[in-house]
Amino acid sequence: MEIKRVLVTGGTGFIGSETVIKLIEAGYDPVIVDNLSNSKDAVIGRIKTITGVRPTFYKVDCCDEEAFRKVFEKEKFQAVIHFAGLKAVGESVVKPIEYYSNNLESTLVLLKLMKEFDVRNIVFSSSATVYGVPKRVPLVETDPVGSATNPYGETKIMIERILTDTQFAWKDLNVALLRYFNPIGGHPSGLLGEDPNGIPNNLMPYICQVAVGKRDHLRIWGDNYPTPDGTGVRDYIHVLDLAEGHVATLKKLATDPGLVIYNLGTGKGTSVLEMVHAFEKATGVKIPYTIEAARAGDVATNYAATDKAFNELGWKAKYNIIDACRDAYNFQKKNPNGIE
Ligand code: NAD
Ligand code: UD1
C-alpha cells in the first residue's frame, strides 16, 4: 500500500523532529501529535526554516482518547511513527507510575484508534535496553529480550510485547520494532538537537554542557570494565542516520511484511574516553574529567549487529562520531538554554 500521510507522535522531540525533516524531504506528509511535555512548539518553526514546509501540528496528549480521536477523524493516516513517551531512566525509577501509565496508555490508545480507523502500519521507538545484559556482542535481533534495570526499559519490553500480540491477532497490521542504540548529534544547522531537562544522564549532552562551561567536568563512570581502555563501550549513532532509518522502515512496511524488528546502530563500539577525545578533536574544546565508581545498571559493552537493517532496509549509518560531536556542540553553543 502507498504510504504518504504519516502520524508522528512525539514529533517535536529530539529524534521525532529530525525524522519529520527526513520525511518531508522524502516526499511524505507528516502530521505531528505531541503534548509538549518534553519539547517546545518552537520546533515547528525550525522545521519550517530547514525544509520550507510547516508540518501540521496538534498539541494533544496521546493518552487523551477523545482529543486524539478528533485528530484521526480529521487526518487520513496511512502509517504511524510512535516516538511519544517519557525516556529519562533515572526519573523512571523515582516515578514508575507516571512512566508506566504514560508510555503504556499512550500506546494502547493509539492502537485502539489505529484499529478503529484502519491504519495498518506502525513504527515503534524501542531501545537496545530490551536486550538487558548482553551475553555477547554484537547484539543480533534474534537475541533474547532480557529484563531491564529500570521502569523506562520495562515499558519498552512491554510495548514490544503489546505490539507483537496485536500484530498476531490483526494480520493486516504491519509493525516495525526499531531498537535504537545511542542516538547523539543534532541538525547540522544548529537549529535542532538534544535538550534534556536538569542534569543530563547521557554522555553526549553532559560533555556538551561541560564544553560550554555549564558543568565543571565530566565524571566517567568506571574504568575497570573489560574493554580496551576500561571505560564503557557503546554504539553511538548520529540522529540524522537514525531519522533516515525511519524513512527506510516506512518503505519496508509498504511491502506488508507483518512484524519486523531492526537494530538501528552503527555496528561500531566507542569507549567513553574515545568519545571524549573525539569531541576534543571535533571541537577544539578540552573536556576535563574524573574517574568515578561504575554507575549501577551499566553494562560494559553494547553494540549492534547491523546486517539485518542493511540487507532488508538497504539502510546503514553514514556519519561518524566526529560528525556527531560537531553537530551536538553546534546546537549546544547556539542554544545555551535549549530551544526557546
Ligand atoms: P524526546 O523526549 O525528545 O521526545 C519524545 C516526545 O514525546 C517529546 O516531545 C514529548 O513531549 C512527547 N510525549 C511524551 N509523552 C507524550 C504523550 N503522552 N502524548 C504526546 N506526546 C508525548 O525523546 P527522544 O530522544 O526524541 O526519544 C523518542 C523516542 O525514542 C522515545 O520513545 C524514547 O524512549 C525512544 N528512545 C530514545 C533513545 C534516546 O537515547 N534518545 C534511545 C532509545 C529509544
Ligand atoms: C542509557 C540508559 C539506557 C537508555 C539510554 C538512552 C542507563 C543505565 N542506561 O544508556 O537505558 O536506553 O541511556 O537514553 O542509564 N557515562 C559517563 N558519564 C556520564 C554519562 C555517561 O561515564 O556522565 C558513560 C556511561 O557509564 C556509559 C556511556 O557513558 O558507559 C554511555 O552512557 P549513556 O549516554 O547514559 O547511555 P547508556 O548507558 O548506554
Side-chain angles (χ1 to χ4, degrees):
M1 120 186 254
E2 206 216 349
I3 297 177
K4 182 142 175 75
R5 181 162 298 179
V6 182
L7 166 61
V8 184
T9 74
T12 43
F14 170 48
I15 306 169
S17 57
E18 301 287 356
T19 302
V20 166
I21 290 169
K22 292 286 180 199
L23 289 171
I24 292 170
E25 288 171 353
Y28 291 90
D29 178 14
V31 173
I32 298 174
V33 166
D34 199 300
N35 66 359
L36 302 180
S37 60
N38 197 37
S39 56
K40 306 272 169 53
D41 59 0
V43 166
I44 304 293
R46 295 186 178 204
I47 293 173
K48 162 110 197 296
T49 304
I50 292 166
T51 62
V53 175
R54 178 178 288 274
T56 306
F57 169 60
Y58 294 90
K59 182 177 182 293
V60 164
D61 192 310
C62 300
C63 302
D64 180 346
E65 188 174 328
E66 282 322 299
F68 206 3
R69 177 174 288 105
K70 291 202 175 85
V71 178
F72 271 82
E73 273 162 5
K74 204 151 169 233
E75 310 285 345
K76 190 98 191 70
F77 300 121
Q78 282 110 29
V80 179
I81 307 181
H82 185 36
F83 292 106
L86 297 173
K87 63 154 187 181
V89 171
E91 186 184 59
S92 80
V93 176
V94 184
K95 299 181 173 173
I97 301 170
E98 285 86 342
Y99 270 68
Y100 284 114
S101 64
N102 186 71
N103 292 3
L104 298 180
E105 265 171 50
S106 58
T107 307
L108 291 169
V109 169
L110 172 66
L111 284 172
K112 201 164 154 184
L113 292 170
M114 287 176 67
K115 191 86 204 275
E116 195 175 317
F117 289 85
D118 199 27
V119 180
R120 299 181 185 180
N121 299 288
I122 180 167
V123 180
F124 174 62
S125 299
S126 190
S127 165
T129 198
V130 302
Y131 292 115
V133 179
K135 290 208 174 49
R136 60 184 170 110
V137 283
L139 285 154
V140 204
E141 287 85 346
T142 46
D143 282 345
V145 167
S147 66
T149 51
N150 54 77
Y152 160 75
E154 287 298 336
T155 68
K156 294 295 174 197
I157 294 171
M158 289 176 185
I159 295 169
E160 284 205 358
R161 180 86 251 156
I162 291 169
L163 287 166
T164 304
D165 291 345
T166 304
Q167 199 283 328
F168 181 80
W170 178 16
K171 294 289 186 222
D172 290 335
L173 182 67
N174 297 303
V175 174
L177 307 177
L178 298 184
R179 295 175 177 160
Y180 310 157
F181 280 67
N182 292 52
I184 58 169
H187 195 269
S189 62
L191 288 170
L192 294 169
E194 203 172 359
D195 174 21
N197 289 323
I199 303 170
N201 178 64
N202 297 120
L203 181 63
M204 183 52 89
Y206 204 102
I207 291 180
C208 285
Q209 292 196 4
V210 173
V212 296
K214 260 181 128 171
R215 313 258 161 220
D216 188 50
H217 68 282
L218 172 69
R219 289 167 300 162
I220 295 183
W221 306 127
D223 68 349
N224 269 324
Y225 286 108
T227 62
D229 64 25
T231 65
V233 168
R234 297 289 184 278
D235 185 340
Y236 297 94
I237 176 166
H238 197 301
V239 66
L240 293 183
D241 279 326
L242 200 58
E244 277 197 349
H246 291 74
V247 177
T249 303
L250 281 184
K251 290 190 185 131
K252 177 74 182 178
L253 291 191
T255 67
D256 281 327
L259 176 79
V260 287
I261 305 177
Y262 300 107
N263 287 336
L264 294 187
T266 67
K268 189 179 175 309
T270 301
S271 75
V272 180
L273 279 173
E274 281 173 331
M275 189 55 109
V276 168
H277 297 141
F279 190 91
E280 292 178 340
K281 188 171 164 203
T283 65
V285 183
K286 190 119 193 74
I287 302 299
Y289 64 82
T290 54
I291 305 287
E292 310 287 337
R295 181 172 69 176
D298 269 358
V299 301
T301 302
N302 182 344
Y303 56 91
T306 56
D307 317 343
K308 191 175 178 213
F310 182 65
N311 293 336
E312 296 186 19
L313 302 176
W315 169 89
K316 70 171 193 283
K318 292 195 296 234
Y319 297 97
N320 60 33
I321 53 169
I322 298 278
D323 302 319
C325 289
R326 186 196 56 227
D327 293 336
Y329 181 56
N330 187 24
F331 174 77
Q332 179 74 55
K333 265 192 315 187
K334 290 191 171 150
N335 304 271
N337 301 311
I339 293 170
E340 292 177 299

